[in-house]
Amino acid sequence: MKQFILVFFSIYSFCLLSAQSINKIIKEKEVRRIEKILSADDMQGRETFTPGIEKASAFIEAEFKKIGLQPFNGAGNFRQEFFMYQSKTAEAKVIIDGNVIADSMVVCFSYLPEAVFTEKSDIELVRINKGDKFGPKFYQYYQSKKNLLVLVDTTFSGQLKSVKKMERLSAEPGKNAVVFVLNNAVANTFSMAITSQLIRKPLNNVVGVLPGKTKPEEYVVFSGHYDHLGISKPGKGEPNEGSDSIYNGANDDAAGITAVIMLAKYFKKLNNNERTIIFTAFVAEETGGFGSKYFSKELAPEKVMAMFNIEMIGTESKWGINSAYITGFEKTDLGAILQKNLKGSAFNFYPDPYPDQQLFYRSDNATLARLGVPAHTISTSKMDSEPNYHKVSDEIGTLDMKNMTAIIKAIALSSISIISGADTPSRVDAAQLK
Ligand SMILES: [Zn+2]
């Protein structure tokens, strides 16, 4: 009897201790410090390929080092570097049916330093006709691996003008050219001479690891994205609001990165993770999810037991404080596991209330979910009414730091049975995804 009381007492005190310790480790003051640095004006909106994103990366690396994380997969540091390739057209001379086409009517996406085509070359002639849906047609041809001359009906002159501003950025330099020409010609004959420049641009995710004690080959990933939209420029969409031109992205997604850093701090202090925990700050989410795509190729997806992607947790969810939603809730039982672990607490995790918005597919979790990983995004963003979403007004002053701290704690507490190996979420059936 005595012994039982002792055991009971020690379990009870352990629970008390862990509840107390989370409050000692995940503190609002520290959450605010990190959030403030990441969303400060001197980060210049953390746009991919700018000094601002370099600064953000250096800050996250320093935090990972301070916490005592290890680099991933034997790397020398926390930077998971890779390259993107940008093609710039230097010159394009296009003649169709004997008529010289003005530069303003031509949009080239070519990876070939020099390319010459005529109607007799290995090139296909296709069209975007009057009445077609421009967007899907454009992307279909834009992503083609063949050489294409795309004749675009002159009713689409506005659309062509806007795609002319696009940069063709790719993870792998292709070997083809796709040329859009605003022209309704028959094109019995044509000739094109295109010179392009291929620019190799470095990028990096920031990845740190806490090796698992007994299941090191089973991974749990916490992630967010550290890039955002940069500084607004004329013609970039939104006009400047007053003198502010910086997209601080305090909620999107400095809030997610703040959570990732705080969770790293917490689990390092606990120092009892049976599974390996990988903390990742993705780059280039806003420009196509290239960071998570690269990350997903650097590990075996079947080793990833769960991925918690955290996006925009700085505002109150539609249910008020102490709540958040999980995208793609029904696709695995990860959400149900988290709900079970939060029973009796003040927090609630709900299924994504904005299914029409396809949020499951719109963030970095999707890349890993397509590989079968139970990978979901946790968010509070009111996607039907969030006033500062993708605006220069997404600043720290609009966030509820107390509630954000509570959500980070909820993520920590609800994920513990997955980190210990007691729970293993079901896999995503990739065949069922869009
Ligand atoms: Zn985001």
Side-chain angles (χ1 to χ4, degrees):
M1 194 68 196
K2 201 171 183 184
Q3 203 183 355
F4 172 76
I5 289 170
L6 202 78
V7 169
F8 176 78
F9 181 75
S10 61
I11 289 171
Y12 175 72
S13 59
F14 172 78
C15 291
L16 259 186
L17 206 84
S18 63
Q20 267 174 2
S21 65
I22 197 165
N23 292 330
K24 278 195 184 138
I25 302 164
I26 303 180
K27 286 194 215 162
E28 186 182 331
K29 194 178 162 201
E30 180 66 354
V31 171
R32 184 181 297 278
R33 178 189 72 86
I34 297 166
E35 172 63 57
K36 195 172 167 190
I37 291 170
L38 281 170
S39 62
D41 279 356
D42 64 7
M43 292 282 177
Q44 301 169 1
R46 306 187 303 278
E47 188 178 10
T48 304
F49 306 122
T50 66
I53 196 135
E54 271 302 312
K55 199 167 181 174
S57 175
F59 170 71
I60 301 162
E61 290 165 51
E63 291 294 311
F64 279 8
K65 193 173 174 199
K66 214 163 70 183
I67 292 166
L69 299 185
Q70 294 182 14
F72 176 62
N73 237 351
N77 56 45
F78 298 119
R79 294 168 69 94
Q80 187 178 60
E81 276 201 317
F82 59 102
F83 292 93
M84 296 287 296
Y85 297 86
Q86 187 190 356
S87 76
K88 268 193 175 166
T89 304
E91 210 182 3
K93 287 183 194 156
V94 179
I95 299 170
I96 298 177
D97 292 335
N99 299 312
V100 177
I101 309 294
D103 275 352
S104 59
M105 304 293 157
V106 179
V107 182
C108 275
F109 299 102
S110 172
Y111 287 115
L112 310 164
E114 279 178 42
V116 176
F117 297 104
T118 71
E119 71 280 358
K120 295 188 181 77
S121 312
D122 173 26
I123 187 166
E124 233 173 82
L125 174 69
V126 292
R127 290 174 192 273
I128 300 180
N129 292 312
K130 187 176 177 179
D132 281 348
K133 281 207 166 126
F134 182 83
K137 277 261 166 179
F138 170 78
Y139 274 102
Q140 183 197 331
Y141 295 141
Y142 170 79
Q143 290 171 336
S144 173
K145 293 196 163 41
K146 295 179 187 169
N147 294 315
L148 294 181
L149 167 58
V150 187
L151 290 181
V152 179
D153 188 89
T154 49
T155 52
F156 293 116
S157 69
Q159 285 90 332
L160 198 84
K161 222 181 245 173
S162 61
V163 300
K164 208 171 166 69
K165 291 183 202 135
M166 263 175 67
E167 286 177 345
R168 188 178 196 182
L169 209 56
S170 167
E172 288 153 45
K175 292 183 173 65
N176 67 324
V178 179
V179 184
F180 294 86
V181 178
L182 191 75
N183 204 293
N184 295 349
V186 182
N188 285 322
T189 65
F190 60 85
S191 73
M192 300 193 284
I194 303 153
T195 53
S196 308
Q197 227 186 333
L198 194 64
I199 307 160
R200 198 168 90 131
K201 295 175 136 188
L203 281 178
N204 71 281
N205 297 319
V206 187
V207 187
V209 171
L210 280 179
K213 309 280 181 202
T214 57
K215 299 172 188 282
E217 293 301 305
E218 297 182 4
Y219 305 151
V220 177
V221 177
F222 290 102
S223 63
H225 68 91
Y226 75 101
D227 67 307
H228 195 53
L229 304 172
I231 299 170
S232 87
K233 302 169 193 85
K236 207 179 161 182
E238 187 188 325
N240 292 1
E241 283 178 12
S243 61
D244 189 7
S245 60
I246 297 169
Y247 290 93
N248 301 77
N251 200 23
D252 187 9
D253 185 26
I257 297 300
T258 302
V260 169
I261 294 171
M262 291 306 296
L263 291 164
K265 250 181 230 279
Y266 177 67
F267 287 115
K268 172 71 184 174
K269 278 258 165 70
L270 283 194
N271 193 30
N272 63 2
N273 54 296
E274 305 297 349
R275 286 177 165 150
T276 292
I277 314 178
I278 303 177
F279 301 93
T280 304
F282 290 126
V283 72
E285 189 270 350
E286 303 282 10
T287 47
F290 295 113
S292 53
K293 280 176 194 153
Y294 186 80
F295 174 84
S296 73
K297 289 180 193 141
E298 291 294 291
L299 46 63
E302 59 274 16
K303 287 186 179 178
V304 184
M305 299 295 125
M307 176 184 182
F308 298 83
N309 189 54
I310 307 165
E311 271 252 39
M312 302 186 280
I313 54 163
T315 57
E316 258 181 40
S317 81
K318 66 175 279 193
W319 305 278
I321 59 164
N322 290 340
S323 63
Y325 61 82
I326 299 169
T327 66
F329 190 93
E330 71 294 342
K331 291 181 168 58
T332 75
D333 63 0
L334 180 134
I337 293 170
L338 304 191
Q339 284 178 330
K340 172 198 77 177
N341 291 340
L342 288 178
K343 252 195 191 132
S345 80
F347 309 109
N348 277 306
F349 282 156
Y350 297 95
D352 169 12
Y354 313 106
D356 293 351
Q357 297 228 19
Q358 307 285 340
L359 300 177
F360 182 76
Y361 297 98
R362 281 171 53 190
S363 192
D364 288 315
N365 65 288
T367 299
L368 280 100
R370 289 188 194 287
L371 301 170
V373 177
H376 302 259
T377 292
I378 297 175
S379 180
T380 58
S381 184
K382 295 178 286 298
M383 293 309 287
D384 54 352
S385 61
E386 203 62 61
N388 304 307
Y389 174 69
H390 278 202
K391 295 211 172 114
V392 296
S393 54
D394 180 3
E395 306 220 32
I396 188 168
T398 65
L399 305 189
D400 178 343
M401 302 309 292
K402 188 176 173 206
N403 186 46
M404 189 166 129
T405 307
I407 289 158
I408 297 169
K409 284 184 203 169
I411 296 169
L413 291 173
S414 63
S415 62
I416 264 178
S417 68
I418 296 172
I419 284 162
S420 74
D423 283 320
T424 301
S426 56
R427 311 293 291 175
V428 166
D429 180 0
Q432 299 297 314
L433 300 185
K434 283 178 191 160

